[in-house]
Amino acid sequence: MTMFCITHLSIGLPRHLLWELITDPSARHLWQPKVLGATIDSGYGGGKGSTLTLEVFDGKATVEVKERVIRSRLQDSIVVIQQWPKHQIQNKYTFTAEFDGTTLLTLQKRYKGQVGFALLGKQLTRRQLEASAEEELLGIKNLSTQLHNRMADHTMPNESAL
């Protein structure tokens, strides 16, 4: 069975900084709270052909998820396939620069699972897929807001020095 969902959110960072945030494995747990850790197995900088191993808490136990970058266009889009124990999820992140220096981030998720598990309640539902996409984008937005605030704090003159 295949399902698809798409969601968008304006993020308060320029495309190049948002790209770095999403492709940095050491920051993955900061915007995906279920990810406990991520390591690069091969490749560099999230480019095409890169593979990662994610340690993910799925609600009951920790599982190992293999992630492979199948397409990467610097600061434009990145497509990754996550191989979970019983299903596969393809994530496509598209970065669109907005007039005010922010970025419209679009996330498309495509789920491929086993139909036989649907009767047992083991298959991801469309609402769960949509909720996971929304959760990821909100995590990225919250983290980008924190980063934006930190950058603003460092660029403002120190009032005590005046």
Side-chain angles (χ1 to χ4, degrees):
M1 176 177 181
T2 301
M3 281 187 294
F4 178 82
C5 78
I6 186 169
T7 188
H8 318 275
L9 193 59
S10 183
I11 308 292
L13 288 177
R15 276 191 325 183
H16 70 282
L17 291 177
L18 188 55
W19 172 272
E20 288 179 24
L21 178 69
I22 288 177
T23 59
D24 181 0
S26 64
R28 184 65 72 89
H29 69 284
L30 298 172
W31 57 274
Q32 284 183 314
K34 293 178 182 172
V35 173
L36 305 174
T39 56
I40 295 179
D41 298 329
S42 66
Y44 175 75
K48 183 177 179 180
S50 296
T51 59
L52 288 91
T53 300
L54 308 175
E55 186 180 340
V56 181
F57 183 70
D58 72 353
K60 297 177 185 173
T62 301
V63 295
E64 187 175 280
V65 176
K66 293 291 185 179
E67 185 174 270
R68 182 173 43 99
V69 178
I70 61 169
R71 189 173 74 194
S72 172
R73 293 192 171 132
L74 189 60
Q75 296 178 28
D76 177 36
S77 66
I78 185 167
V79 180
V80 299
I81 293 180
Q82 294 179 336
Q83 192 63 51
W84 290 72
K86 295 186 178 174
H87 64 275
Q88 179 181 26
I89 296 179
Q90 176 180 313
N91 296 312
K92 179 181 181 185
Y93 300 91
T94 304
F95 307 83
T96 306
E98 296 182 308
F99 294 111
D100 60 356
T102 61
T103 304
L104 178 66
L105 180 60
T106 302
L107 173 55
Q108 297 176 356
K109 281 188 171 279
R110 186 176 311 271
Y111 168 84
K112 289 183 183 178
Q114 300 172 347
V115 177
F117 287 99
L119 299 174
L120 302 173
K122 305 248 186 220
Q123 184 173 355
L124 200 66
T125 66
R126 180 173 180 85
R127 183 62 203 132
Q128 288 171 318
L129 186 66
E130 291 169 347
S132 73
E134 292 166 4
E135 182 181 299
E136 279 187 47
L137 289 185
L138 286 175
I140 293 168
K141 184 175 179 99
N142 291 338
L143 182 57
S144 70
T145 300
Q146 292 173 20
L147 292 172
H148 188 273
N149 291 341
R150 284 184 186 168
M151 289 188 309
D153 288 345
H154 290 297
T155 59
M156 294 184 69
N158 187 346
E159 290 181 16
S160 63
L162 296 177

